[in-house]
Amino acid sequence: MAVCVAVIAKENYPLYIRSVPTENELKFHYMVHTSLDVVDEKISAMGKALVDQRELYLGLLYPTEDYKVYGYVTNSRVKFVMVVDSSNTALRDNEIRSMFRKLHSSYTDVMCNPFYNPGDCIQSRAFDSMVTSMMIQVC
Amino acid sequence: MEAAAGGGCGSGPPLLLSEGEQQCYSELFARCAGAAAGGPGSGPPEAARAAPGAATAAAGPVADLFRASQLPAETLHQITELCGAKRVGYFGPTQFYVALKLIAAAQSGLPVRIESIQCELPLPRFMMSKTDGEIRFGNPAELHGTKMQIPYLITEKNTFKRMDDEDKQQETQSPTMSPLASPPSSPPHYQRVPLSHGYSKLRSSTEQMHPAPYDARQPLVQPEGASTGGPGAKPPRHQTSLIRSFSVEREPQDNNSNYPDEPWRITEEQREYYVNQFRSLQPDPSSFISGSVAKNFFTKSKLSIPELSYIWELSDADCDGALTLPEFCAAFHLIVARKNGYPLPEGLPPTLQPEYLQAAFPKPKWECALFDSYSESMPANQQPRDLNRMEKLSIKDMADFPVPIQDVTGDDKQALKNTVDEVLPKDMSEDPATPKDSNSLKARPRSRSYSSTSIEEAMKRGEDPPTPPPRPQKTHSRASSLDLNKVFQPSVPATKSGLLPPPPALPPRPCPSQDLPYSQPPSKPIRRKFRPENQATENQEPSTTVGGPASVAAAKPHPTVQKQSSKQKKAIQTAIRKNKEANAVLARLNSELQQQLKEVHQERIALENQLEQLRPVTVL
């Protein structure tokens, strides 16, 4: 259902980015990049409050005519950005939340791997397969 | 010499072939390639795609050759897949060599995985027409019907012995095989079995035993075309290879769960080895190894970090960042497999699942007990040798692993081989040549399931959070009594508390010791409750200073009552003294604690003052 999924580190560089391969992937990379500003804005908006009060799920970051971009940030400032097709109207907020939750838990599993150094690119096959399950299967 | 593993084959590290193997394989390859040009023809479509002649062997002759190896069809399919021929669509030299090596592995009873290739294996045997009698591929190799990774034995002696073993194995196996087979006429034994095996139709044609000379082990590779010759009975020697192929096939069937993934099954010795390694990292086998410890350990295997990461991902089933014993065994096994060239599986094989491992293998302690009970005939030194043998392959690759690399001498190998399956070292104690080895191999995991419940409990305990580390000694007055309780053990002069250093050793007391020539300090620990350490020192003193007389005196029974009463008096005096010493120590402790208490009080007062000062400010 997602068209592009990206995991961005605290320092705003991508740890993992994957798109449905049919389209121009660069466009998705660009969208994710621009959405980082929005994410930062949302994070800093609650900056004064305690971290606990900040919702992990950021919701719709910004819509374009073709796509909608959703964001999610973890407590360690790792951001998940998901781009979905605007035409996919059946996709509800709850579903997006659950997808982010799955992403988060898979990301946690990746972190549990002692051979994974935080800051490395994510090369876990389990993570890949989970993301694949979330992406639109467009052949 | 290395095969051109760089070629199309994408799987695993390059093949290492010995000279003999290199020769054999290139011959075979040439034959296949040459025959391809001439084309026996009935090859799968890949043959058409394959570049004829030079670089590749057409699938047709290759298929015939493979069938001549008398392996079951499924194994051949596996081999074909593994060697990469399916992937690339043709048998290039790399794929061919890998395939041959896999055939040799399968014939030796090793699981069909790339890991087997890295071992030294005997040359594959192909039952072809005897026209190529000269083509002897030396090494008889091992015949053991199990999937142990056995290093390649080269001695003839072994082969002979193997033959016997195999014969016997064969006999056992033949009854099992018979249902599978479509055994035609001949004698029940071996000969039929091969026919029935796997691709019976082809087999029947290709079956041709090498009659004469060869002592059964030398594989003959025949030209593909000719291979389909020869029907007929096989001399007993044939059995050996047959047996081997059978064993390969039998195992999955005999196995309860019918898991076809041979290389992912952990054998007994491997298991034992893994458990020992686990213990070296974490003494409690029911607890688990933390991620960092495991990382350091596995990094020594010199595999690349992404591979190790993937192995971890496969083996850490609950993704908790720590490895329990079954997870550790699975991870270790995957590492061993990878080091031996097997490609890593896409998912954790069922035989490496933690539940399976827990059920199949009891706790290490029990396992040791089983080992002991089973392997009487197998001296303890053989067991590590087994492990070493098994690990020899991986040891070569994992030289940095903390493995005691003992070079297994040829004699050892022979001895072991003679006693049959390495996989069933326990069986060695039983009938070494028993044909039921494979059966009992299978039976063993079953029989061990009895312990599964307790294993599960143990494992569950292991999965519970580990017991917190022993608390550091508390530094408060109560601790003194606790410590003293701990110190009860007469031989342990424990420290009284964290605060106090251990009480200084009492200076030797010549008086008491002299006064107590007949005292029996060792016999009065009960009375000296509070002075075990003093007691210890005291005990040492009399024994050392007074030395002989005291000890002798102590040892002697005192016949006279008078002596006893005097002894008792002395003992009482000693006790009194000791109590006084303990009192002194406690008083010291008390005073120190009081001091600390005072200091803490003062701090508290100071803080309260500060608070008071600050409070009016903040209220505003």
Side-chain angles (χ1 to χ4, degrees):
Chain A
M1 288 170 279
V3 173
C4 169
V5 171
V7 177
I8 315 243
K10 184 165 77 166
E11 292 84 10
N12 287 335
Y13 62 88
L15 297 175
Y16 179 89
I17 180 162
R18 182 134 155 248
S19 343
V20 166
T22 54
E23 306 230 358
N24 183 5
E25 299 192 32
L26 211 51
K27 182 173 69 167
F28 291 128
H29 289 219
Y30 178 68
M31 287 175 71
V32 169
H33 188 262
T34 54
S35 67
L36 290 179
D37 277 337
V38 185
V39 171
D40 276 343
E41 187 190 323
K42 293 208 180 223
I43 295 179
S44 60
M46 321 179 205
K48 303 217 175 72
L50 295 175
V51 176
D52 291 341
Q53 298 177 2
R54 175 162 57 77
E55 174 87 11
L56 298 179
Y57 174 68
L58 302 175
L60 182 66
L61 297 178
Y62 69 90
T64 64
E65 63 180 48
D66 291 329
Y67 300 103
K68 296 197 194 111
V69 183
Y70 291 89
Y72 181 99
V73 62
T74 69
N75 284 326
S76 54
R77 302 298 169 105
V78 172
K79 306 154 185 88
F80 299 115
V81 175
M82 190 185 318
V83 180
V84 300
D85 207 317
S86 284
S87 54
N88 195 348
T89 52
L91 211 54
R92 292 189 359 235
D93 200 54
N94 281 340
E95 293 171 12
I96 306 278
R97 281 180 196 260
S98 71
M99 284 159 76
F100 274 126
R101 226 171 292 129
K102 277 199 298 185
L103 264 176
H104 196 174
S105 97
S106 295
Y107 177 73
T108 315
D109 290 342
V110 168
M111 292 292 277
C112 280
N113 189 332
F115 296 102
Y116 173 77
N117 301 315
D120 289 351
C121 291
I122 296 177
Q123 284 158 348
S124 152
R125 295 191 210 182
F127 192 81
D128 276 344
S129 60
M130 192 273 309
V131 169
T132 313
S133 70
M134 288 189 347
M135 313 242 306
I136 297 180
Q137 296 302 326
V138 181
C139 42
Chain B
M1 298 171 53
E2 282 198 1
C9 184
S11 68
L15 272 189
L16 298 174
L17 299 180
S18 65
E19 295 260 353
E21 287 175 335
Q22 183 74 3
Q23 272 179 353
C24 160
Y25 292 175
S26 24
E27 265 179 317
L28 289 172
F29 186 70
R31 218 177 290 124
C32 285
S42 62
E46 285 101 32
R49 272 188 298 173
T56 66
V62 171
D64 286 339
L65 177 67
F66 286 177
R67 285 187 217 107
S69 69
Q70 301 183 329
L71 294 175
E74 312 89 275
T75 313
L76 290 180
H77 286 317
Q78 270 181 319
I79 290 174
T80 320
E81 273 178 1
L82 275 176
C83 75
K86 286 215 174 134
R87 216 179 319 155
V88 298
Y90 58 81
F91 272 102
T94 316
Q95 290 81 33
F96 191 74
Y97 290 173
V98 173
L100 287 177
K101 200 85 187 214
L102 282 169
I103 289 177
Q107 286 177 341
S108 351
L110 295 181
V112 177
R113 285 289 183 272
I114 302 293
E115 66 182 273
S116 305
I117 297 187
Q118 298 304 328
C119 338
E120 288 175 301
L121 291 169
L123 295 174
R125 293 193 304 273
F126 298 91
M127 295 308 146
M128 310 225 188
S129 65
K130 320 177 325 186
T131 57
D132 298 357
E134 302 89 53
I135 304 179
R136 313 204 63 187
F137 298 95
N139 315 312
E142 58 310 67
L143 196 134
H144 42 98
T146 56
K147 26 176 183 229
M148 195 56 175
Q149 296 179 18
I150 300 241
Y152 177 2
L153 288 191
I154 308 191
T155 58
E156 281 288 315
K157 203 161 112 179
N158 295 340
T159 56
F160 287 124
K161 304 232 172 156
R162 284 266 181 83
M163 280 176 58
D164 297 336
D165 294 340
E166 291 169 82
D167 287 344
K168 293 183 190 150
Q169 285 180 10
Q170 173 73 41
E171 288 166 8
T172 345
Q173 292 178 6
S174 49
T176 329
M177 296 313 294
S178 49
L180 302 180
S182 47
S185 44
S186 50
H189 288 337
Y190 24 89
Q191 287 134 13
R192 277 314 87 199
V193 186
L195 285 184
S196 55
H197 204 291
Y199 27 167
S200 39
K201 35 185 176 145
L202 285 168
R203 286 284 39 157
S204 51
S205 52
T206 53
E207 265 189 51
Q208 192 126 41
M209 199 50 188
H210 221 354
Y214 174 77
D215 330 306
R217 274 226 211 225
Q218 309 191 0
L220 294 190
V221 179
Q222 294 183 346
E224 299 69 17
S227 69
T228 56
K234 295 36 187 174
R237 315 225 183 105
H238 193 50
Q239 312 168 6
T240 56
S241 52
L242 300 177
I243 294 177
R244 188 172 306 175
S245 48
F246 290 135
S247 58
V248 170
E249 198 182 29
R250 278 184 62 235
E251 288 183 1
Q253 289 141 13
D254 284 354
N255 185 0
N256 323 353
S257 33
N258 270 345
Y259 286 124
D261 31 14
E262 303 292 342
W264 307 122
R265 183 178 300 282
I266 299 183
T267 63
E268 277 310 309
E269 294 163 18
Q270 287 174 324
R271 171 80 181 194
E272 190 64 19
Y273 176 69
Y274 299 154
V275 168
N276 289 339
Q277 290 299 315
F278 183 92
R279 283 215 206 94
S280 73
L281 296 175
Q282 162 65 273
D284 179 10
S286 62
S287 175
F288 45 81
I289 297 181
S290 75
S292 47
V293 170
K295 173 180 178 178
N296 292 337
F297 182 72
F298 288 139
T299 310
K300 295 183 204 163
S301 72
K302 299 279 199 263
L303 284 179
S304 64
I305 296 294
E307 287 184 353
L308 287 170
S309 174
Y310 181 57
I311 286 175
W312 176 281
E313 207 179 296
L314 285 178
S315 57
D316 190 5
D318 47 6
C319 290
D320 59 355
L323 294 180
T324 60
L325 181 58
E327 289 174 344
F328 177 84
C329 291
F332 209 139
H333 197 73
L334 286 168
I335 287 180
V336 167
R338 188 77 190 100
K339 293 294 290 185
N340 287 311
Y342 278 63
L344 291 175
E346 290 302 316
L348 193 64
T351 51
L352 289 181
Q353 301 274 352
E355 307 82 23
Y356 176 85
L357 285 176
Q358 284 179 24
F361 294 94
K363 278 190 70 170
K365 294 177 195 165
W366 296 358
E367 220 176 3
C368 290
L370 287 170
F371 257 99
D372 294 339
S373 63
Y374 284 129
S375 59
E376 296 97 11
S377 75
M378 192 162 165
N381 57 350
Q382 271 190 351
Q383 285 187 8
R385 268 191 241 127
D386 275 347
L387 286 175
N388 290 332
R389 214 164 9 90
M390 177 273 295
E391 284 299 331
K392 192 182 174 195
L393 318 168
S394 50
I395 283 174
K396 284 177 190 163
D397 299 329
M398 305 195 297
D400 297 322
F401 255 47
V403 171
I405 300 177
Q406 304 171 11
D407 288 331
V408 184
T409 64
D411 292 337
D412 292 343
K413 288 183 202 174
Q414 286 178 23
L416 289 168
K417 297 282 183 182
N418 295 341
T419 50
V420 174
D421 316 13
E422 292 82 7
V423 176
L424 301 179
K426 297 161 190 167
D427 284 338
M428 292 192 191
S429 65
E430 300 159 6
D431 184 3
T434 180
K436 304 189 177 55
D437 282 345
S438 314
N439 290 333
S440 49
L441 165 66
K442 299 304 172 267
R444 182 159 307 117
R446 285 183 225 126
S447 65
R448 245 184 270 119
S449 59
Y450 69 87
S451 53
S452 60
T453 51
S454 26
I455 297 167
E456 286 160 9
E457 289 163 19
M459 284 307 165
K460 278 175 200 157
R461 268 185 278 118
E463 288 166 13
D464 290 339
T467 57
R471 295 198 180 165
Q473 289 172 345
K474 297 224 170 86
T475 63
H476 48 75
S477 58
R478 288 190 59 200
S480 58
S481 58
L482 287 176
D483 292 334
L484 289 176
N485 288 337
K486 266 193 269 176
V487 168
F488 260 53
Q489 294 136 19
S491 57
V492 179
T495 57
K496 291 244 173 179
S497 74
L499 280 183
L500 274 187
L506 291 177
R509 294 176 176 221
C511 298
S513 57
Q514 285 167 9
D515 289 344
L516 305 172
Y518 306 111
S519 70
Q520 301 181 6
S523 67
K524 298 197 168 55
I526 303 171
R527 298 214 315 215
R528 320 261 167 91
K529 283 188 185 177
F530 295 96
R531 291 185 212 93
E533 72 284 11
N534 302 344
Q535 171 111 24
T537 55
E538 188 85 18
N539 289 345
Q540 291 157 14
E541 293 156 17
S543 55
T544 53
T545 59
V546 180
S551 53
V552 170
K556 281 185 198 161
H558 295 273
T560 65
V561 175
Q562 205 179 13
K563 280 189 183 174
Q564 282 173 355
S565 63
S566 70
K567 262 197 323 182
Q568 284 169 0
K569 274 191 212 163
K570 303 284 193 248
I572 291 170
Q573 284 169 5
T574 319
I576 291 173
R577 213 173 304 114
K578 297 219 167 129
N579 281 331
K580 284 187 187 162
E581 289 153 20
N583 282 345
V585 170
L586 285 171
R588 226 179 307 143
L589 175 63
N590 193 19
S591 62
E592 288 188 22
L593 288 169
Q594 292 287 343
Q595 189 73 21
Q596 283 194 354
L597 183 61
K598 275 188 214 161
E599 287 165 12
V600 170
H601 270 306
Q602 284 170 3
E603 279 181 31
R604 183 181 166 199
I605 291 170
L607 284 170
E608 281 179 358
N609 283 340
Q610 282 182 11
L611 191 59
E612 284 298 327
Q613 286 164 14
L614 289 171
R615 197 171 286 161
V617 175
T618 55
V619 164
L620 290 175

